[in-house]
């Protein structure tokens, strides 16, 4: 699918689902990383992440387009177009648009497992919990300036 086909699909969804014309541009933006699409307030254009079409299919793309068209039409009508607005949520429900897009399979692989590293002061015995490892040769206890030692590392599932 190219930008022209995306434009035609967006115009069709707008006419059929919303009963209103889509008069601006819809295009793929290869720079989008963490979102399925976005509505641009100044130009009224819609940008879509093509990886959602490639990895999750046509149905996910249609859902993203519906979501962005909700922003588009409400903004042009002067109603609440933001995620937290009641107008926006009601229109999402009416047209069957998702509130959030699905997770890309490529991003699920990149997720890091969270861990907690526990350090203890050798002088006063105070316990410190950190997400990252710290250099115990460089850092000391904030309470008594004692030496720190790594006690354990807890990995979350």
């Amino acid at each position: 699918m190219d930008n022209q086909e995306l434009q035609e699909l967006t115009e069709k969804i707008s006419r059929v689902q919303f009963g209103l014309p889509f008069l601006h541009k819809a295009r793929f933006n290869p720079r989008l990383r963490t979102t399925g699409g976005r509505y641009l307030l100044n130009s009224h254009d819609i940008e879509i992440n093509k990886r959602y079409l490639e990895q999750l299919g046509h149905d996910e793309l249609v859902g993203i387009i519906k979501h962005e068209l909700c922003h588009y039409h409400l903004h042009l009508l002067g109603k609440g177009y933001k995620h937290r607005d009641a107008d926006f949520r009601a229109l999402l429900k009416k047209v069957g648009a998702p509130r959030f897009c699905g997770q890309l399979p490529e991003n699920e692989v990149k997720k890091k497992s969270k861990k907690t590293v526990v350090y203890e002061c050798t002088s006063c015995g105070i316990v410190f919990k950190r997400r990252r490892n710290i250099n115990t040769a460089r850092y000391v206890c904030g309470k008594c300036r004692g030496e720190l030692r790594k006690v354990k590392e807890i990995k979350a599932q």
Side-chain angles (χ1 to χ4, degrees), residues 29-119:
N29 183 344
R31 293 183 314 272
L32 292 178
R33 297 253 180 246
T34 59
T35 185
R38 67 179 175 184
Y39 164 63
L40 303 170
L41 290 173
N42 293 331
S43 65
H44 306 296
D45 293 346
I46 291 176
E47 295 182 338
I48 303 292
N49 186 341
K50 193 169 190 171
R51 285 181 296 208
Y52 278 82
L53 171 63
E54 294 164 352
Q55 295 180 27
L56 296 176
H58 188 265
D59 291 339
E60 185 72 20
L61 175 70
V62 170
I64 292 168
I65 292 171
K66 285 181 184 179
H67 178 100
E68 299 309 325
L69 283 171
C70 288
H71 288 297
Y72 172 81
H73 289 300
L74 288 171
H75 182 247
L76 292 179
L77 293 171
K79 295 183 178 179
Y81 61 90
K82 296 178 182 173
H83 287 113
R84 65 176 176 259
D85 294 328
D87 292 332
F88 181 75
R89 291 186 185 191
L91 187 57
L92 280 179
K93 191 177 268 189
K94 180 182 173 192
V95 298
R99 185 141 181 248
F100 304 104
C101 53
Q103 182 75 19
L104 283 176
E106 70 181 30
N107 290 346
E108 288 177 4
V109 175
K110 292 179 185 176
K111 276 187 182 174
K112 291 183 179 179
S113 62
K114 293 188 178 177
K115 65 177 182 179
T116 303
V117 185
V118 181
Y119 294 94

